[in-house]
Amino acid sequence: MKIFRMISAARCAVADRYYITRGAKGKYPMGSENYYNILVRESGPSTHNPVKVVKNLYAAYKHNANRIKRTEQMMHMFDRPSLPVRIFHRMFKK
């Protein structure tokens, strides 16, 4: 696993847990309750039990790591030029 992917997933997991903790107090940072409900479904509700905190943080990390992998797979399609572009480039290359 790439180190950037791991660091980014960990950073996003901490941010998700921060939003969940603030949302549990009634302060929705993103301006919508729907975003909070989606985060709670993905990684669990706000808690102060250290064991549950670590489990929820790990669940958020796994979800964000999978999201980053899916994004990289989608962007991989655009890494290489399409077949017509490559043919055109080879035909008119000087």
Side-chain angles (χ1 to χ4, degrees):
M1 183 178 240
K2 295 180 182 178
I3 190 74
F4 172 76
R5 192 184 305 159
M6 292 169 57
I7 292 171
S8 182
R11 184 186 57 81
C12 291
V14 171
D16 288 353
R17 296 308 302 166
Y18 171 75
Y19 291 146
I20 288 172
T21 302
R22 287 208 39 187
K25 296 177 184 177
K27 303 174 186 174
Y28 300 107
M30 298 305 282
S32 77
E33 214 172 316
N34 192 23
Y35 180 70
Y36 168 77
N37 292 333
I38 290 169
L39 289 178
V40 169
R41 258 187 289 145
E42 292 169 355
S43 64
S46 178
T47 183
H48 297 292
N49 181 352
V51 175
K52 289 183 181 178
V53 167
V54 172
K55 285 182 181 180
N56 291 343
L57 186 65
Y58 183 66
Y61 171 79
K62 286 190 338 187
H63 174 73
N64 283 307
N66 288 336
R67 181 184 53 81
I68 291 170
K69 284 181 189 177
R70 283 193 312 262
T71 304
E72 286 179 356
Q73 287 173 352
M74 286 189 294
M75 294 306 291
H76 180 68
M77 293 187 297
F78 302 108
D79 288 345
R80 192 169 179 206
S82 65
L83 184 61
V85 170
R86 286 184 286 162
I87 291 172
F88 183 79
H89 179 69
R90 286 183 182 163
M91 286 174 56
F92 297 105
K93 188 169 118 179
K94 290 184 180 183

